[in-house]
Amino acid sequence: MTTLATNTFATHFGLKNIPFGIGSSKAHPNPQLVTRYEHNVIFVAELSSLSQILAALPTEVLLAPSLNRFAALGRITHGEVREAIQEFIEEDIFPGNSTENISMVQMHLPVAVGDFTVFSCSPHHNRRAQAALMGNFENPSAYPHLPIGYTGRSSSINVSGTPIRRPWGHFFEHGIEGLKGDKKRDKKGDKKEDKKEYKKEYKKEYKKEYKKEDKKEDRKEYKKEDKKEDRKEDRKEDRKGDKKGDKKAVTYAPSRNLDYEMGMAVIIGEPIPEGDTITSREAWYHIFGYVLLNDWSGRCVDDARDVQLLEMAPLGPLCSKHAATTISPWVITPDALKEFRVRAKKRDHTLSAHLEHEAGKQLAVQVGVSVDSMVWGRSTTKVMDWTFEQLIAHQASSGSGLRTGDLLASGALSGATEDERACLLEEFVPGESARRRYLNNGETVRIVGKAGEGVGFGDCTATVLPAFRVKESSA
């Protein structure tokens, strides 16, 4: 373990970066379009007299309390504004009232998010999460063919620095044992079985990089033996629990197992009209920029007692994933990240036409997550099996359209090793010893991201507060 030093991240915001955000201060009380260079926040509206490009932007764009109108102008305009600001910095010609130290500025949510989707693009996270939740190390069957994801809730997205409340939700009081109608648990016996059943297979798969022949064997073994037994057992025990009535108790209470998820998200700039579809090649032109993202979760393992377990079958999580999402305040543009891209992963099978992109590139951004300054995971966006362009193309492939400000997240950016875990769920794979438990009230989670010299994201930070008080109906 190492500690993560607290700073103002001035080195993240060099001349090559020039991000966009929404800021306010005593001198500029109305939230408006800002950018940043080192320690300085630059209020863009104050520069309009210095540049024809900026003078041509409507006042309502420069002074709007969100970046949506500016984002909708498209990549060419964003690039021109960015280049103009870079010239001002090089020539040092800023008016006196146009810049303030970051310590004097309040940052706000950068965009008004209409729709929010969370994908799951890391194969390592998928396998470990599947093992923790379901006891097997397989990726979902759809995963090789399309980006899998679920709809989030935009009303609970907040900017970095905003505390989050421990969420409430429904869960089985006796966890997975309650689900089966058996509230007793032999921990020693469980652990022994877990070790025999899962640990060897998991390590073997990682060493062989999940070769196809291993996967086939695992599937056969699980499907033929375990699945039949599990289903029979579950049905018998479910019936028992239903008759006795008290063993399948469902509780409504604050989440006992609150987790973070270290991720990144892309923000839509120029919209895609309803009824239109695009390819991954075309998606690049619809990207406004990227932010760090923490998709907080009410988990269901570590004694298997929490919200996600009860909600997942058959429709997926709801309240367990909708209570809170935190994003970083600075939107980093595709132009700033151009040189920090690598060749996307090659496929051994043909994808649907909208997802095919032979020359596709993946972002190469280093990310890390800490709890109260203690680092629990470091990884990179290079672990993603799908590019952000593919996420956009797939989201639009049904003809639903995408609007300016829509947010599409990567999911947990976990790597293959213990030090690369992007959430605490992955600590609770059967047969393995967790390094820590889930989050406590009062703990602060910080996600940091940096692409290279002078180009970073700053941080995405929030502190966990106790659950709010629930209103009770009067008799």
Side-chain angles (χ1 to χ4, degrees):
M1 300 295 172
T2 57
T3 58
L4 190 68
T6 301
N7 58 52
T8 57
F9 301 99
T11 59
H12 285 214
F13 302 100
L15 188 63
K16 291 182 180 179
N17 198 338
I18 314 302
F20 297 109
I22 294 293
S24 64
S25 67
K26 285 185 178 180
H28 300 87
N30 298 319
Q32 59 190 277
L33 174 62
V34 295
T35 186
R36 182 173 175 180
Y37 175 63
E38 297 180 346
H39 293 290
N40 302 301
V41 174
I42 303 165
F43 289 81
V44 179
E46 304 286 2
L47 308 178
S48 57
S49 63
L50 304 178
S51 164
Q52 290 183 345
I53 292 169
L54 295 178
L57 294 178
T59 303
E60 57 266 28
V61 170
L62 296 172
L63 297 179
S66 81
L67 293 173
N68 290 52
R69 290 182 177 180
F70 178 65
L73 297 177
R75 290 284 306 280
I76 293 175
T77 299
H78 305 154
E80 289 175 342
V81 171
R82 179 172 170 271
E83 288 173 5
I85 293 168
Q86 286 172 324
E87 289 179 11
F88 301 154
I89 293 171
E90 289 179 314
E91 296 171 11
D92 194 18
I93 56 172
F94 291 101
N97 61 342
S98 64
T99 65
E100 293 190 57
N101 189 281
I102 183 64
S103 63
M104 305 299 291
V105 178
Q106 173 69 48
M107 297 303 298
H108 303 269
L109 196 67
V111 291
V113 181
D115 288 305
F116 171 39
T117 304
V118 182
F119 291 89
S120 191
C121 298
S122 163
H124 312 294
H125 172 68
N126 286 338
R127 289 174 184 133
R128 292 191 66 83
Q130 184 79 349
L133 297 172
M134 308 304 294
N136 69 78
F137 292 90
E138 295 180 2
N139 269 313
S141 57
Y143 183 76
H145 307 285
L146 53 91
I148 57 173
Y150 59 88
T151 301
R153 186 159 185 83
S154 59
S155 62
S156 55
I157 297 174
N158 287 293
V159 71
S160 176
T162 307
I164 69 117
R165 290 278 183 185
R166 182 175 294 273
W168 284 70
H170 290 85
F171 51 86
F172 289 112
E173 178 60 33
H174 305 292
I176 195 69
E177 291 73 31
L179 172 62
K180 292 181 178 180
D182 180 9
K183 62 183 178 182
K184 292 181 180 179
R185 183 181 185 185
D186 181 356
K187 290 186 178 179
K188 289 182 181 176
D190 285 352
K191 285 182 180 176
K192 263 186 184 176
E193 284 305 309
D194 288 342
K195 285 179 182 176
K196 287 179 184 177
E197 193 70 23
Y198 307 120
K199 195 170 184 179
K200 288 180 183 176
E201 288 82 349
Y202 177 64
K203 287 188 174 179
K204 190 177 178 184
E205 284 186 28
Y206 260 106
K207 285 176 184 174
K208 294 187 177 181
E209 296 180 354
Y210 300 93
K211 289 183 180 176
K212 288 181 182 177
E213 53 269 24
D214 291 334
K215 281 188 179 177
K216 284 179 182 175
E217 281 304 310
D218 289 342
R219 287 194 190 109
K220 285 177 186 175
E221 192 66 26
Y222 179 74
K223 284 179 182 174
K224 287 181 181 176
E225 296 176 19
D226 294 346
K227 241 179 182 177
K228 284 181 183 176
E229 288 304 313
D230 287 346
R231 283 175 184 162
K232 284 179 186 176
E233 195 64 29
D234 286 352
R235 284 175 190 145
K236 286 179 186 175
E237 295 301 315
D238 280 346
R239 285 194 288 272
K240 283 184 193 175
D242 289 338
K243 288 174 186 176
K244 294 183 180 180
D246 63 341
K247 291 183 178 178
K248 291 183 69 175
V250 171
T251 298
Y252 177 63
S255 167
R256 293 171 181 169
N257 299 323
L258 182 61
D259 198 0
Y260 58 78
E261 274 195 15
M262 173 176 67
M264 187 174 290
V266 62
I267 297 173
I268 298 300
E270 191 173 338
I272 301 166
E274 183 182 359
D276 284 5
T277 60
I278 61 170
T279 65
S280 298
R281 293 179 182 82
E282 297 166 327
W284 170 258
Y285 301 101
H286 295 272
I287 294 175
F288 174 45
Y290 306 87
V291 292
L292 299 174
L293 181 140
N294 185 351
D295 187 30
W296 303 85
S297 307
R299 295 300 193 191
C300 58
V301 290
D302 179 18
D303 291 337
R305 300 176 184 176
D306 222 16
V307 185
Q308 196 173 352
L309 174 64
L310 181 60
E311 289 186 335
M312 278 183 64
L315 299 178
L318 187 69
C319 293
S320 59
K321 301 287 283 185
H322 286 182
T325 301
T326 306
I327 65 173
S328 52
W330 296 107
V331 180
I332 312 304
T333 67
D335 290 332
L337 294 168
K338 264 185 181 178
E339 63 181 272
F340 305 105
R341 291 166 64 85
V342 296
R343 188 71 179 265
K345 293 183 180 180
K346 288 187 177 181
R347 304 282 171 177
D348 58 3
H349 61 278
T350 302
L351 296 173
S352 301
H354 68 281
L355 294 173
E356 283 286 3
H357 193 186
E358 290 181 6
K361 291 188 175 182
Q362 186 60 272
L363 290 180
V365 177
Q366 302 300 314
V367 290
V369 61
S370 65
V371 180
D372 285 348
S373 297
M374 186 67 73
V375 176
W376 288 97
R378 297 184 189 275
S379 188
T380 170
T381 51
K382 291 189 290 185
V383 302
M384 294 171 63
D385 274 340
W386 300 96
T387 67
F388 283 104
E389 288 82 2
Q390 287 173 317
L391 302 188
I392 294 170
H394 187 63
Q395 182 74 82
S397 65
S398 67
S400 61
L402 287 169
R403 294 176 291 187
T404 300
D406 282 358
L407 199 65
L408 283 69
S410 64
L413 292 171
S414 296
T417 69
E418 181 181 272
D419 294 334
E420 296 175 303
R421 294 173 188 169
C423 63
L424 296 175
L425 170 67
E426 295 179 39
E427 297 288 332
F428 300 100
V429 168
E432 296 186 9
S433 298
R435 295 176 296 170
R436 65 156 289 159
R437 295 178 71 84
Y438 285 97
L439 297 171
N440 300 310
N441 292 341
E443 289 189 308
T444 297
V445 177
R446 168 177 284 169
I447 298 172
V448 174
K450 190 173 184 180
E453 189 62 36
V455 182
F457 288 71
D459 67 334
C460 175
T461 300
T463 300
V464 179
L465 299 181
F468 56 83
R469 296 187 67 179
V470 174
K471 292 181 179 178
E472 296 181 4
S473 59
S474 55

